[in-house]
Amino acid sequence: IKEKYGAEICGDTLKIERPPKNQPCHYGINAGFAAAKALKMNPFEIALVTAEALSKNPEVKEAVAVKPGYVNFSLKGDVYKRELQKLITDSAYFNSDYGAGKKINLEFVSANPVGPLNIVSGRAASYGSALTSLLKRAGYDVTSEFYVNDYGRQMDLFGISVKERYFELCEEGYKAQIPEGGYLGGYVTDLASKLREEKGDALYDEYRGKEFDLKKNFFRAWGLERMVEAQKKTLESFGVVFDRWFYESELHEAGEVKEALSIVEKNGHIREEDGARWFKTTKFGDDKDRVVIKQDGEYTYFASDIAYMRNKLEKRGAETIINIMGPDHHGYIKRLEAIIQALGRGLEGLEVLILQQVNLLEGGEKVKMSKRAGKIVTLDGLMEEVGKDAARFFFVMRNYNSHLDFDISLAKEQSDKNPVYYVQYAYARVCNIFGHASEKGAETGPEKNFAAADFSELNEEEAGLVTSVLDIGDVMTEAAVKRSPSLLVQALNGLVSSFHSFYNMHRVVGGGREAERLFILSALKVALEECFEILGITKRERM
């Protein structure tokens, strides 16, 4: 284009895709459309010129113009072979430097420490964990973080609830006085039972009939510790480990809440009314101003949010803050935007991703969760019902901004209809092929020298599998940039589909192209392992 017309096609406008099955070659590019407007020419004429130029590239096997303005092309076999060899031998092959070390603080789950994690937290955990892995592979410096709301009224009520259930166990005939907004779940009684096993009636004697400090009491502190331990255990069973658990109380103990409010006030964003202090969030598009200090002098949760944002930005140097929130948090977006602007930062440093609702289905029918005695409302219950792998995989099959229907019956099915079974079975089948090859005396390890493999003439199924494998790295980067692990799931499904098409038509061991096909499957195995690691599912060598 430059030689013939004195113009260049901007790379950002080009899109490489797979051409339809009824068209030639392995890749297609929108070259004609990318330059048509600027050159005021017919897209197909530009495609013809581009195809001719591409044909001269020593790594291009074939390039053809396709109406109305696309260019399809295939690379030479040696190029594919070289890339597969890199993929097999270079552990960082799928990594990129796209993020250039930019510091991201990624907060997700952050459920209040007053109960077990539920399925909404499960979707956040699966999505956030996969996104963390993708961003790190794309070259970002990522800190994954769980924010523990351990300071406010909810923890006060939780402490009272534990105390009252404990008293109920210690004194015959005592009826627990659970306050309005307190916690009635059976897990609170279970906690109280464990506490009595540890302490006997000693705490009853210590606290009975005495003034109760809502912030500083044994029940609150002990209950917090146990609930955080339980949440960590659940998440670890789910394959999710955070870089940091950040406690709200840290901000208060270090005086950071007071400091942050002083900065916001200095910047002219605090007003006083009816004995309370208000953050003027309406200046930044919120529907109403928000209280930060109540009439009794207590800080609100929102005051802590200001300090927490400042801590991430100024104390720890985050360049971008990503908050993953549940479906009932749309109203928080404007508040967080108000905070970051009031602290003197631009909105480009904040991303709030709202996960949409999860609906549990069984046999295609919506489950009324309240009638299931809590068995699968909790994340632990769901894992018990369908397994960790199915839960992790199903939670990221849809993008975060789409509602998710989680079909329990499908997740438990041991067949290709189950999406996670479908991809795990492909991995097991590859392992089985290598086992069979070893029995026949073939070398199958990653260190094997595949110099004899001839890639000059790949058949359709071989080429489809090779290009699907090599696409995975680009998809990982795209999924990170678009904050969409579901893109990797789609690519993984496509990769597995290519493998099954190949497997159903061609023998690997003793099929006449053993070296070439074992080479391709070696690369496929690595690609599957990389995808499984990001998505948090198990590599099963047998199924």
Side-chain angles (χ1 to χ4, degrees), residues 258-295:
K258 184 177 181 180
E259 287 176 14
L261 289 181
S262 296
I263 292 171
V264 173
E265 184 171 18
K266 184 179 178 181
N267 291 341
H269 304 306
I270 300 291
R271 64 178 177 85
E272 189 167 345
E273 181 183 329
D274 298 331
R277 298 181 73 76
W278 301 68
F279 180 7
K280 295 184 281 189
T281 55
T282 49
K283 291 174 62 176
F284 304 101
D286 198 5
D287 59 342
K288 61 182 179 181
D289 292 343
R290 307 287 171 177
V291 176
V292 288
I293 302 179
K294 296 183 286 188
Q295 291 174 328

Side-chain angles (χ1 to χ4, degrees), residues 8-9 28 77 80 89 95 101 115 130 132 148 182 234 263 268 369 375 489 497 504 507:
E8 291 184 357
I9 299 176
Y80 294 134
T89 57
N95 296 354
T132 298
V148 182
T234 296
I263 292 171
M369 292 182 287
K375 184 180 180 185
V489 174
S497 178
N504 290 332
R507 289 179 60 86

Side-chain angles (χ1 to χ4, degrees), residues 24 50 72 90 105 123 159 209 251 315 366 379 416 427 465-466 468 471 500 512 533 541:
T50 307
N72 290 357
D90 183 358
N105 180 283
R123 186 178 190 187
L251 299 168
K315 303 285 186 178
K366 189 172 181 180
L379 180 55
D416 286 353
Y427 184 80
L465 185 52
V466 167
S468 292
D471 284 347
H500 287 310
E533 183 177 344
E541 296 188 2

Side-chain angles (χ1 to χ4, degrees), residues 417-432:
K417 294 179 182 178
N418 180 347
V420 69
Y421 183 93
Y422 180 67
V423 299
Q424 287 180 315
Y425 185 70
Y427 184 80
R429 177 171 271 178
V430 171
C431 292
N432 183 61

